[in-house]
């Protein structure tokens, strides 16, 4: 069977540093921090009082008020970023075979706000289950691709991927595979997350996973810095239109890049801690290279998971050095989470968009907030500290790793006919 080539023809982003793709890219290139004191709820009694919120987001600016009330924020975000991607791709679904266009979406937690609101209301009552009839349909993770498919009439493969912070990268890999095997012409893929509420922040605080640098939120996400103290929670969505090459060419689509490989692995180590020697991270990057038929020397840029946690950053850089050898020191490496915070299940989507735009524009987004070198991290690595760097990028790799030991890597290449 002849495998199909898969290309990127549309992008959409709703992030803490920009509510559109151009705004997001401008924020990345200029090293803008999206961290600020939280406005979603009263944080007085919480250890962490800041996050990377989507600024000034009003659902009714994008959706009808009646519709917005029926949707959890993570679904609202998904629909907003997807509308931008559909327009960007120049799609007129009335002229396409929508039986062969699907939606494969990622989210790590899903409708946490809906779950929290309903359970709190129930707990305050007399025990009578007066629950909202939209409770379950608003909360379940697979409802995001469901709503996208219903909005556009897309009847192809439709499901969600759940692998914690690797979720949307897994979704992209599944979408790529379905098209490559000829089972779909196009897949709307990506991920969304909305956990900036009492349950989300309180839960991650209880795990000691979040930064508590309340006196200086903007510099709190500091991957690879000696004084990093945890990740900064973020929210938002990213949508990528993946399309079979000949299908894209036939409709005259613009092509951003080609997706050429995806890898998956497990740490098989601990529910939250990465393998100390980065074995799962090394394995997943090698798996992606094997799928792409590439060598380590083919990679120019790695957008790392780089969450700003004490153990994670060491584990990932160790894996890169062990896998790439001397070529590791010729790479550009950066963590855009230093700017956006960690979007959990949506991280892979927006970071893949960062890779795609880096290839297109020849610019490596920086790792901001670096102040003090960590002797546990190889100092010869170019971690693109504090300022964007120009570079001709032919191939970029994006890593995302999730609690439970889930690892996913995806590779994008400059498109050549």
């Amino acid at each position: 069977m002849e495998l199909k080539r898969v290309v990127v023809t549309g992008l959409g982003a709703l992030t803490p540093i920009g509510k559109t793709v151009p705004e997001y890219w401008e924020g990345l290139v200029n090293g803008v921090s999206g961290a600020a004191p939280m406005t979603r709820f009263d944080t007085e009694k919480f250890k962490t009082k800041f996050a990377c919120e989507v600024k000034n987001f009003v659902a009714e600016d994008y959706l009808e008020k009646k519709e917005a009330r029926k949707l959890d924020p993570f679904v609202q975000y998904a629909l907003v970023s997807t509308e931008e991607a559909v327009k960007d791709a120049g799609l007129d679904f009335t002229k396409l075979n929508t039986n062969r266009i699907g939606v494969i979406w990622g989210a790590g937690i899903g409708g946490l706000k809906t779950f929290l609101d309903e359970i709190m209301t129930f707990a305050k009552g007399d025990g009578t289950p007066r629950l909202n009839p939209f409770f379950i349909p608003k909360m379940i993770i697979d409802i995001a691709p469901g709503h996208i498919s219903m909005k556009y009439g897309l009847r192809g493969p439709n499901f969600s991927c759940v692998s914690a912070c690797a979720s949307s990268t897994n979704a992209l890999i599944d979408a790529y595979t379905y098209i490559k095997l000829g089972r779909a012409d196009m897949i709307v893929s990506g991920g969304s997350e909305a956990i900036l509420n009492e349950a989300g922040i309180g839960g991650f605080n209880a795990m000691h996973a979040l930064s508590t640098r309340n006196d200086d939120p903007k510099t709190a996400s500091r991957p690879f810095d000696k004084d990093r103290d945890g990740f900064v929670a973020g929210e938002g969505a990213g949508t990528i239109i993946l399309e079979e090459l000949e299908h894209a060419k036939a409709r005259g689509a613009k092509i951003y890049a080609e997706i050429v490989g995806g890898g998956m692995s497990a740490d098989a180590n601990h529910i939250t801690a990465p393998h100390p020697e980065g074995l799962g991270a090394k394995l997943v990057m090698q798996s992606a290279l094997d799928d792409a038929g590439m060598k380590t020397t083919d990679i120019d840029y790695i957008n790392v998971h780089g969450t700003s946690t004490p153990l994670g950053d060491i584990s990932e850089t160790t894996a890169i050095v062990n896998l790439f050898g001397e070529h590791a020191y010729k790479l550009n490496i950066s963590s855009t989470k230093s700017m956006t915070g960690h979007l959990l299940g949506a991280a892979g989507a927006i970071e893949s968009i960062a890779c795609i735009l880096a290839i297109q524009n020849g610019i490596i987004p920086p790792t901001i907030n670096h102040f003090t070198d960590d002797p546990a991290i190889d100092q010869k690595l170019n971690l693109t500290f504090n300022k964007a760097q120009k570079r001709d990028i032919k191939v970029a790799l994006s890593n995302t790793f999730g609690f439970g030991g889930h690892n996913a890597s995806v590779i994008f290449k400059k498109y050549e006919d």
Side-chain angles (χ1 to χ4, degrees), residues 45 113 118 319:
K45 297 182 179 179
K113 178 70 164 60
E118 289 297 322

Side-chain angles (χ1 to χ4, degrees), residues 19-273:
K19 291 189 283 189
T20 65
V21 169
E23 289 178 4
Y24 170 52
W25 179 244
E26 183 180 3
L28 289 178
V29 171
N30 290 306
V32 175
S33 171
M38 274 184 279
T39 64
R40 301 277 188 265
F41 64 96
D42 183 357
T43 62
E44 182 183 355
K45 297 182 179 179
F46 286 75
K47 295 177 183 176
T48 296
K49 305 178 187 303
F50 62 93
C52 288
E53 297 179 340
V54 175
K55 311 298 185 296
N56 304 311
F57 178 80
V58 179
E60 290 77 10
D61 290 345
Y62 305 91
L63 306 163
E64 292 184 8
K65 186 174 182 179
K66 186 176 180 181
E67 179 188 13
R69 288 175 53 221
K70 298 177 182 178
L71 304 173
D72 186 88
F74 97 102
V75 179
Q76 295 173 358
Y77 296 165
L79 289 169
V80 170
S81 69
T82 297
E83 182 173 2
E84 182 186 12
V86 167
K87 289 179 180 177
D88 182 50
L91 293 173
D92 181 353
F93 290 117
T94 65
K95 297 179 180 178
L96 301 173
N97 182 1
T98 52
N99 292 338
R100 291 186 54 81
I101 302 175
V103 187
I104 302 178
W105 202 254
I109 297 177
L112 187 61
K113 178 70 164 60
T114 295
F115 185 83
L116 174 64
D117 289 348
E118 289 297 322
I119 296 306
M120 290 298 290
T121 299
F122 174 74
K124 292 174 182 176
D126 61 3
T128 304
R130 298 186 181 91
L131 300 174
N132 191 311
F134 290 104
F135 173 31
I136 300 300
K138 282 178 69 174
M139 179 191 71
I140 52 179
I141 290 177
D142 64 293
I143 203 65
H147 275 292
I148 294 169
S149 71
M150 286 182 277
K151 179 175 180 177
Y152 298 105
L154 309 180
R155 295 182 176 83
N158 189 281
F159 59 90
S160 282
C161 293
V162 183
S163 49
C165 305
S167 296
S168 54
T169 302
N170 276 125
L172 288 167
I173 293 170
D174 277 2
Y176 159 65
T177 302
Y178 271 71
I179 298 171
K180 183 170 70 169
L181 295 176
R183 300 184 67 179
D185 296 329
M186 182 189 300
I187 301 284
V188 178
S189 192
S192 57
E193 206 78 89
I195 60 91
L196 302 186
N197 52 55
E198 295 90 336
I201 299 302
F204 282 115
N205 268 156
M207 296 170 63
H208 304 288
L210 296 179
S211 170
T212 55
R213 202 178 298 276
N214 296 305
D215 59 334
D216 191 8
K218 285 192 177 300
T219 71
S221 182
R222 47 179 75 184
F224 314 118
D225 189 272
K226 180 177 180 293
D227 298 319
R228 65 190 181 277
D229 71 330
F231 75 82
V232 177
E235 62 175 0
T239 302
I240 299 176
I241 307 293
L242 297 182
E243 190 168 355
E244 192 271 323
L245 175 59
E246 296 305 319
H247 187 274
K249 289 165 69 174
R251 69 178 189 86
K254 72 172 181 288
I255 295 174
Y256 281 99
E258 184 173 1
I259 178 171
V260 294
M264 295 169 280
S265 77
D267 275 4
N269 178 65
H270 186 270
I271 58 172
T272 56

Side-chain angles (χ1 to χ4, degrees), residues 68 154 168 173 192 261 263 289 291 295-296 305 313 346 375:
L154 309 180
S168 54
I173 293 170
S192 57
L289 287 167
D291 188 44
K295 306 183 293 294
T296 53
H305 188 55
D313 291 1

